[in-house]
Amino acid sequence: QKEVEQDPGPLSVPEGAIVSLNCTYSNSAFQYFMWYRQYSRKGPELLMYTYSSGNKEDGRFTAQVDKSSKYISLFIRDSQPSDSATYLCAMRERNYQLIWGAGTKLIIKP
Amino acid sequence: SAVISQKPSRDICQRGTSLTIQCQVDSQVTMMFWYRQQPGQSLTLIATANQGSEATYESGFVIDKFPISRPNLTFSTLTVSNMSPEDSSIYLCSVGSGPEQFFGPGTRLTVL
């Protein structure tokens, strides 16, 4: 079993829909939870990170962490074709390396 | 945030040869990371490079195959040695402070 599980998709939704992207993990020591966006032929770009449990909002993006369920989510409201990309979750313990999910390919249809 | 550039952006190489990838950062950083991302897969950490010390390699990666240099706080190189088709991948340079990491655009390597 991988430490971090993420459905690779692709996930295809119409423009304007609410998108939900998820990761599960097995290591209860993870404290930092990150979401990265990667466009084709580009490096990953940090979208947002959360420390421990709770929600964090940034514009159309909301990150949620549920440590009791070992489950994290990224919600995208009013999705746009420009949101089409691969979204990678990553997480880490306090001073350890990042552990990455496989990435979910998201397609927003105009 | 940090602005990171990599050279070359892509290359096609013959089996048995070596390629050196350069990573330049616009600010001084203590730790630099080298990742590999194979097609359709997630990122795998190759090694961590600190200025003034030997790089630390992850399980499955060895210095003879992936020698790294870190001559100063803004620059690093990764060499992929004695390449085989299995080395075809995207190689990414990254820098980080605290929980955040920032990535270069990557070097897309194809080995024939």
Side-chain angles (χ1 to χ4, degrees):
Chain A
Q1 182 188 8
K2 293 181 182 178
E3 275 195 283
V4 179
E5 299 275 3
Q6 184 177 12
D7 187 334
L11 175 64
S12 182
V13 301
E15 182 177 355
I18 296 175
V19 175
S20 172
L21 303 165
N22 311 294
C23 290
T24 59
Y25 62 94
S26 56
N27 185 351
S28 58
F30 286 143
Q31 296 187 5
Y32 294 93
F33 303 89
M34 277 70 76
W35 285 97
Y36 285 81
R37 177 176 61 196
Q38 186 174 25
Y39 290 113
S40 180
R41 301 183 184 274
K42 301 285 187 184
E45 167 195 14
L46 178 65
L47 276 176
M48 52 201 309
Y49 76 89
T50 308
Y51 173 71
S52 194
S53 283
N55 295 359
K56 189 172 186 178
E57 187 173 323
D58 184 1
R60 296 185 294 112
F61 298 87
T62 299
Q64 283 187 355
V65 175
D66 182 347
K67 294 193 77 176
S68 62
S69 302
K70 298 190 179 67
Y71 188 90
I72 70 170
S73 301
L74 177 71
F75 297 96
I76 307 174
R77 292 184 298 281
D78 188 24
S79 56
Q80 304 294 313
S82 58
D83 295 326
S84 298
T86 296
Y87 289 80
L88 300 109
C89 65
M91 46 199 79
R92 56 176 277 188
E93 300 178 40
R94 180 179 169 82
N95 289 316
Y96 285 73
Q97 64 168 286
L98 284 173
I99 306 298
W100 295 83
T104 299
K105 184 174 183 178
L106 174 65
I107 300 168
I108 307 297
K109 298 176 294 184
Chain B
S1 66
V3 177
I4 305 168
S5 59
Q6 285 184 237
K7 290 182 182 179
S9 58
R10 57 171 52 210
D11 207 340
I12 300 173
C13 300
Q14 296 298 318
R15 180 195 300 259
T17 62
S18 297
L19 176 72
T20 295
I21 302 168
Q22 299 179 9
C23 177
Q24 181 76 51
V25 188
D26 69 341
S27 57
Q28 294 185 338
V29 293
T30 304
M31 298 176 74
M32 296 178 76
F33 306 90
W34 286 98
Y35 283 87
R36 183 171 73 182
Q37 186 177 28
Q38 296 186 306
Q41 299 196 19
S42 191
L43 283 74
T44 302
L45 182 64
I46 297 171
T48 302
N50 291 331
Q51 195 269 335
S53 63
E54 293 288 325
T56 303
Y57 289 83
E58 297 301 313
S59 176
F61 298 95
V62 295
I63 188 171
D64 290 345
K65 175 69 174 177
F66 297 101
I68 288 171
S69 77
R70 184 78 202 275
N72 58 51
L73 291 172
T74 64
F75 187 79
S76 179
T77 67
L78 169 75
T79 299
V80 186
S81 303
N82 188 25
M83 288 184 286
S84 67
E86 291 71 35
D87 294 320
S88 296
S89 189
I90 299 170
Y91 291 85
L92 292 153
C93 171
S94 172
V95 302
S97 61
E100 302 182 53
Q101 280 197 352
F102 303 95
F103 287 83
T107 296
R108 184 176 294 266
L109 171 62
T110 302
V111 183
L112 303 178

